[in-house]
Amino acid sequence: MKNSYKKYLYIFLIAALYIFTVQMNRMERKDRVREAAINRSQDMEEEGKEEESLFEDKKRVALTFDDGPGEGTEGLLDGLKERNAKATFFVVGEKVEQYPDTIQRMKEEGHLIGNHTYTHVQMNTLSCEAAIAEVKKTSELIESIIGEGTGYLRPPYGECTKQMKKELDMFIVLWDVDPLDWSVQNEDAVVEKVLRDVEDGDIILLHDIFDTSVRAAIRIVDALQKEGYEFVTVEELMFP
Ligand code: NI
């Protein structure tokens, strides 16, 4: 009886040791899995941060200038060139006739030229035929200078009819940020308003026929480039 008691005790101790060893292994494995999960989530967090900073570097914005060219446009082109900033110019046909060299230079320096009608007319106050003639005349003038017309139209005051849009078959480009530069004609006010309102992907509306707007534009480029913004044409913004 005493011998068999010892035998049972022995078996019990062996079994207990076995169970203890198995449990320890299982706990260790769990720890390793948990540790791996923590490492992985940290890696993912770091990757996320990298993606975010890449995205930040890619912020883009389009400066657009209406109603020109004017006397100050060449100076504006100098400033944009120095900063490697591209812009879009919605030109008025009558002005195109006055400043053909400026139009040529815009094209050569990588800017986009858009149409802003021949006489800066509010298109929806004209017949469809007359409004379209205003646009076509301007496109033909642009083509006679740079060898190609334009597929981009900004109707003066942002107004044209559905019928006109349909018949012209051009990209109608409006805007996101409007500092009312033509009205305030104040450099500081224009800079402040644009820098306050601008977001990634925005189209900014300015008029290069005002010196205040030209100076404001250059300050806007300097400030936003420091924040990682790239200045692209409307076309580059629409079709990256
Ligand atoms: Ni205009």
Side-chain angles (χ1 to χ4, degrees), residues 16-233:
L17 188 65
Y18 174 76
I19 290 165
F20 178 73
T21 311
V22 166
Q23 277 299 350
M24 283 301 285
N25 271 338
R26 194 179 288 169
M27 277 165 72
E28 248 175 57
R29 214 179 311 135
K30 263 191 195 164
D31 277 349
R32 278 201 302 271
V33 168
R34 195 181 307 134
E35 205 175 300
I38 290 167
N39 284 341
R40 191 173 143 60
S41 74
Q42 278 171 350
D43 284 352
M44 280 165 71
E45 227 171 78
E46 272 161 30
E47 272 169 33
K49 270 181 204 153
E50 264 169 42
E51 267 168 37
E52 212 173 274
S53 68
L54 273 178
F55 186 70
E56 265 178 15
D57 289 339
K58 276 189 179 170
K59 283 188 295 190
R60 285 139 47 99
V61 72
L63 276 181
T64 63
F65 297 95
D66 288 10
D67 299 4
E71 275 180 24
T73 307
E74 287 284 333
L76 172 60
L77 289 173
D78 292 341
L80 293 174
K81 191 179 179 183
E82 260 171 51
R83 292 160 179 81
N84 193 30
K86 303 291 178 255
T88 303
F89 293 87
F90 289 97
V91 295
V92 170
E94 288 175 328
K95 306 276 187 68
V96 172
E97 288 174 330
Q98 286 178 52
Y99 297 95
D101 295 345
T102 307
I103 299 289
Q104 180 65 36
R105 184 178 167 195
M106 286 171 182
K107 171 72 183 168
E108 278 167 9
E109 295 182 357
H111 304 294
L112 179 68
I113 297 162
N115 194 317
H116 201 48
T117 74
Y118 184 71
T119 59
H120 200 272
V121 70
Q122 188 170 334
M123 291 172 69
N124 60 357
T125 63
L126 297 183
S127 70
C128 195
E129 206 184 7
I132 286 169
E134 277 264 341
V135 175
K136 290 219 160 136
K137 191 171 180 181
T138 303
S139 278
E140 282 162 16
L141 274 169
I142 295 167
E143 190 173 359
S144 72
I145 298 165
I146 65 165
E148 60 188 31
T150 177
Y152 297 86
L153 171 68
R154 176 172 283 157
Y157 318 101
E159 304 268 8
C160 71
T161 67
K162 270 187 190 167
Q163 181 68 14
M164 291 169 191
K165 281 184 197 172
K166 197 178 153 199
E167 291 197 20
L168 280 166
D169 193 25
M170 294 169 82
F171 291 108
I172 307 290
V173 181
L174 299 180
W175 54 86
D176 303 297
V177 180
D178 180 5
L180 299 174
D181 61 322
W182 58 272
S183 169
V184 296
Q185 294 193 36
N186 178 312
E187 185 184 330
D188 290 339
V190 170
V191 172
E192 201 177 298
K193 169 85 173 143
V194 170
L195 296 184
R196 193 173 58 225
D197 290 357
V198 74
E199 284 175 5
D200 186 20
D202 275 354
I203 295 175
I204 301 167
L205 171 60
L206 292 169
H207 298 78
D208 52 326
I209 52 170
F210 302 112
D211 290 344
T212 46
S213 301
V214 168
R215 289 197 300 270
I218 295 302
R219 282 173 55 188
I220 289 163
V221 172
D222 284 340
L224 292 182
Q225 281 184 336
K226 269 187 204 145
E227 286 182 33
Y229 277 93
E230 186 187 356
F231 284 81
V232 298
T233 66

Side-chain angles (χ1 to χ4, degrees), residues 5-21:
Y5 170 73
K6 269 188 184 166
K7 196 166 93 193
Y8 283 122
L9 185 63
Y10 184 65
I11 288 169
F12 172 77
L13 283 173
I14 296 274
L17 188 65
Y18 174 76
I19 290 165
F20 178 73
T21 311

